[in-house]
Structures are given as C-alpha cells and as structure tokens.
Amino acid sequence: MNISFEVVPRTEEATFEQLEFVEQNLPFVDTINIPDLLRLPIRSWDGAKLVNRQKYRYIPHVRAIDFDIKSTRLQQIIEANELDKILLVTGDPPPDRTHLVYSTDVVDLIKVIRRDFPNLEIYCGFDPYRHGVKQEKDYILDKFEAGADYILSQPFFDTRLLDIYADFLPADKVYWGVSPVITERSQAYWENVNKVVFPSDFKPDYQWNTDFAVKVLKHCQQTGSHCYFMPIRIDLQKYFLPIRQAMNW
C-alpha cells in the first residue's frame, strides 16, 4: 500500500514546512503529489527541486489544456526535470483569461506521452461525483487503454460509493482520495461546486473525518490499493495523530 500526501506549493517556504511535517510526523507516507495551480508562483514540476526524491515518490500534476499536443514543451519539461512519474488531468479554465489554453484532450495526451516515454509512470484522475458511475467508469477505462498506469480519485466521503468503484477498478492501480472537510462552509463548497453528496451521518468535524480516513486505509490494506491524502487548510497534527493511533503506525 502506497500513501500519498498532497503538498500545495503556496510558497517555497510553505512547501518546505509541509514536507518537513510529513518527514517528522508521517513515516507511513511514501509519495508526494504536487498540484499545478496557476494562481500560485510554483508550478508542479518545480517540486523536482524541493522534494527529497531519494525518500519520496514524487508526482507532479500537469494540466492537459496548458499544452499544445503538437508541440514538445511537455516532453522538454519531463526531460529537464528528470521526471519518472506524472499525473495528467484535463485542467480547469484559468482564472486569468490571458493565460493561453488549448483544446488538448487528456486521453490523447496520455497516448502521446506514453509513446515518447515508455518507462514513465503515468497517473490520471477521476471524480466519483462528476458524472454517473457508468460514464466515469468508461472515462477511466479509456485512460487505462490510452496508457495510464494508475488512477487517483478526487475525495470520497462515502465508503458505499467507494465500494461501487472498487468493484470494477484494479485495486493495485487505484489511489483512493481522502480530504478532511471540517467546517460547514467547506461542506457547502463541496456540495455546490463539486456536487458531492455527503452521507446522512456526515459531520464537518475532525472526529468524523479521521474515522472515515481510517476506514479508507483499512480498505486499502485489505485490497492492496493505495490512499491519497489531500489535507486542505487544517490542523495537520490534530487530523493525523488519531489516524496514526487507530492504525498503530
């Protein structure tokens, strides 16, 4: 079981602080994911200079719409940063309308990068709340067929929905996403923007969220799948300490 921790690169100093927290407090984490957020000064592949790649598996996120599929700019980034792993996502429209975007389809980009880098580990995302299960399943399988090695989910909040996806996804190729939601404002955001349907017993507090994380981790242990933590603006110690205690880590 691999466990990934997402580090949001708000500043170089903040990035190092998060990485230091992981190293000192989360010995079970072996993978670092860095998203590519255009509003931040650090691009995901800049993490190659920040993450200890002797200790952690490093996965930078890349937005397909930022790259012209006919150019080799992404290939140059992969080579310049000596990347051995990469997460390809479609990407949201940029907040700055002057930012140049392309109509690059992520499945087509997977095919190109797989052709040019046969040994590169290609990761892709999926969102259990974006579409119906059948439509999302077909999209996931298209990504695998195009050459993706692993699939990482956006956060789950219901183990029943996770079990539905687990029925048809290869366990060893899946990272189940977990993101604590600890305020009512955050819950409303997930419901209105990301179309999440929370279970009836959900509570936006640390207790419910740590209990849910433990359930997902135990599922990963039992099935040989992996976990992907996306802790957003929380007290990391307050969240992860009960998880470590419950898992005897």
Side-chain angles (χ1 to χ4, degrees):
M1 174 174 65
N2 295 322
I3 301 180
S4 181
F5 183 101
E6 181 174 284
V7 173
V8 177
R10 293 185 174 86
T11 64
E12 189 168 302
E13 181 181 5
T15 299
F16 278 127
E17 287 178 358
Q18 291 180 78
L19 291 170
E20 184 178 5
F21 174 85
V22 172
E23 187 165 357
Q24 293 184 357
N25 298 279
L26 307 180
F28 51 88
V29 168
D30 57 19
T31 306
I32 299 295
N33 276 66
I34 295 189
D36 196 44
L37 304 174
L38 299 180
R39 57 185 170 80
L40 301 180
I42 299 174
R43 300 304 296 263
S44 63
W45 48 85
D46 293 331
K49 308 178 189 70
L50 307 175
V51 176
N52 180 356
R53 298 171 68 181
Q54 300 300 315
K55 183 169 185 176
Y56 297 105
R57 305 163 74 252
Y58 157 61
I59 308 174
H61 299 195
V62 170
R63 296 156 35 90
I65 63 173
D66 288 340
F67 295 90
D68 182 351
I69 201 167
K70 297 176 182 178
S71 80
T72 59
R73 190 166 70 91
L74 179 53
Q75 288 88 331
Q76 292 168 14
I77 288 172
I78 292 171
E79 291 176 342
N81 293 280
E82 298 181 343
L83 303 181
D84 57 1
K85 300 171 181 60
I86 194 170
L87 171 66
L88 297 177
V89 296
T90 298
D92 295 326
D96 180 359
R97 294 187 179 181
T98 65
H99 180 84
L100 188 61
V101 295
Y102 303 89
S103 58
T104 302
D105 180 83
V106 69
V107 174
D108 292 335
L109 187 58
I110 293 169
K111 294 176 182 177
V112 170
I113 297 303
R114 169 56 64 224
R115 179 199 66 202
D116 293 345
F117 297 93
N119 298 320
L120 182 74
E121 284 188 2
I122 298 178
Y123 296 71
C124 290
F126 81 92
D127 188 340
Y129 300 99
R130 173 171 47 194
H131 304 300
V133 174
K134 172 64 166 60
Q135 187 174 353
E136 198 66 23
K137 173 185 176 181
D138 290 343
Y139 195 27
I140 292 168
L141 296 180
D142 285 345
K143 292 175 180 178
F144 276 130
E145 186 176 348
D149 297 296
Y150 294 90
I151 196 89
L152 282 74
S153 82
Q154 285 292 303
F156 276 85
F157 299 96
D158 192 328
T159 54
R160 295 168 300 181
L161 182 60
L162 189 152
D163 286 339
I164 291 173
Y165 278 88
D167 276 344
F168 61 80
L169 292 176
D172 61 330
K173 300 296 185 182
V174 181
Y175 284 72
W176 303 108
V178 177
S179 185
V181 173
I182 57 169
T183 66
E184 292 183 357
R185 180 178 179 181
S186 180
Q187 179 181 355
Y189 175 87
W190 282 97
E191 289 174 332
N192 296 323
V193 176
N194 296 324
K195 311 305 180 185
V196 168
V197 178
F198 289 91
S200 60
D201 69 344
F202 175 78
K203 294 180 181 179
D205 58 26
Y206 280 93
Q207 183 68 56
W208 190 96
N209 282 275
T210 54
D211 288 347
F212 180 75
V214 169
K215 291 177 184 177
V216 175
L217 287 168
K218 289 183 175 179
H219 169 90
C220 293
Q221 282 185 330
Q222 293 166 1
T223 62
S225 53
H226 316 288
C227 188
Y228 173 30
F229 281 105
M230 291 164 270
I232 305 171
R233 299 187 185 281
I234 62 164
D235 183 328
L236 294 173
Q237 196 72 258
K238 187 174 181 179
Y239 178 65
F240 280 105
L241 181 59
I243 293 172
R244 286 193 64 180
Q245 292 172 337
M247 298 299 293
N248 295 315
W249 286 342

